[in-house]
Amino acid sequence: MENGVLIFCDKTQEWMIDWWYENYSKYNNFPVCLIDIGLSNDFIKSHREIFIIKRFDKPAKLIHKKSWFYKPFVLQCTPFDKTIAIDVDCEIKGSISLLFEYKSFAITKDIFNKYDNNDNPMNTGVIVYSKNSDVLKRWGDIILNNIDLYHSDQDAFNSMNIKHEEFPIEYNWVRLRGNNDNAIIFHHT
């Protein structure tokens, strides 16, 4: 499959999926892959017609860790050649098609990051990447080998020195910045 969107969650967050999809589908019609990291059976049955649903088996080292640490592993499960991964607490307020124009790994700044020493931290709530991305593999290795050093997947990501493209902040506008009528993706983190 060419282009698509990937989201993931478990049963504690599945209540956000209908809200997420309602907003997404007002402006976009790319296929959506929902990675199941512990969804309820009832939810899966009632949403098979809307999403491509793929089950994710957690690495043994991560079984008792916060689900956000699964992110680099989950993102590698994409069925798409080019993927936009979006956190389920993101409100889609416009077309995201421009993001598919990025050629390599693309992400945006995180000016509110308080957990690492990176001079230019990135926010992992919205990521554009190609299938078989080396960045995802490196990111996953860092988490598996050093998980106790990091507060979140984002801190592990920011410990890496990688080349990336940066998309406009309006495609991952964090709530802490205040309101923005021009935000395409409003991240309610």
Side-chain angles (χ1 to χ4, degrees):
M1 287 189 211
E2 196 166 303
N3 293 336
V5 174
L6 185 138
I7 58 175
F8 73 99
C9 73
D10 61 17
K11 63 184 173 189
T12 66
Q13 299 170 319
E14 65 187 29
W15 61 272
M16 288 190 278
I17 298 295
D18 290 331
W19 167 83
W20 182 93
Y21 188 74
E22 179 182 330
N23 289 301
Y24 167 81
S25 61
K26 287 178 191 173
Y27 310 99
N28 302 278
N29 62 1
F30 300 102
V32 178
C33 178
L34 169 58
I35 304 292
D36 168 15
I37 62 168
L39 295 168
S40 68
N41 288 332
D42 288 343
F43 183 88
I44 292 169
K45 287 177 190 170
S46 66
H47 289 76
R48 285 190 195 280
E49 300 299 317
I50 301 170
F51 302 108
I52 301 163
I53 299 178
K54 291 180 78 176
R55 177 95 177 121
F56 173 71
D57 295 317
K58 302 164 188 94
K61 272 189 165 179
L62 300 181
I63 294 291
H64 300 292
K65 299 296 181 182
K66 298 279 187 188
S67 62
W68 56 62
F69 283 111
Y70 306 158
K71 187 174 281 186
F73 307 99
V74 167
L75 272 52
Q76 291 177 59
C77 298
T78 185
F80 309 115
D81 296 327
K82 177 73 67 87
T83 302
I84 302 171
I86 305 174
D87 285 357
V88 295
D89 63 342
C90 289
E91 181 179 358
I92 314 301
K93 301 176 90 164
S95 172
I96 60 172
S97 62
L98 174 106
L99 293 177
F100 285 114
E101 295 177 16
Y102 287 87
K103 302 293 182 217
S104 65
F105 195 92
I107 195 164
T108 198
K109 289 185 191 319
D110 181 8
I111 64 169
F112 297 104
N113 186 311
K114 299 174 188 157
Y115 298 102
D116 63 51
N117 296 322
N118 189 313
D119 291 337
N120 191 25
M122 299 289 124
N123 183 301
T124 60
V126 179
I127 299 172
V128 182
Y129 64 100
S130 297
K131 194 170 192 163
N132 302 318
S133 167
D134 289 339
V135 173
L136 297 178
K137 291 175 183 137
R138 281 185 51 207
W139 186 12
D141 287 345
I142 284 172
I143 287 175
L144 283 178
N145 295 323
N146 304 291
I147 192 161
D148 294 329
L149 298 178
Y150 301 109
H151 172 74
S152 70
D153 68 281
Q154 190 164 287
D155 301 325
F157 179 85
N158 283 314
S159 74
M160 300 187 312
N161 184 16
I162 63 153
K163 290 184 180 180
H164 62 275
E165 293 181 89
E166 230 174 271
F167 52 78
I169 197 76
E170 287 78 16
Y171 285 88
N172 189 359
W173 187 267
V174 177
R175 175 186 51 84
L176 297 172
R177 289 177 175 265
N179 289 331
N180 180 351
D181 292 338
N182 297 317
I184 303 298
I185 300 176
F186 193 94
H187 195 163
H188 290 276
T189 190

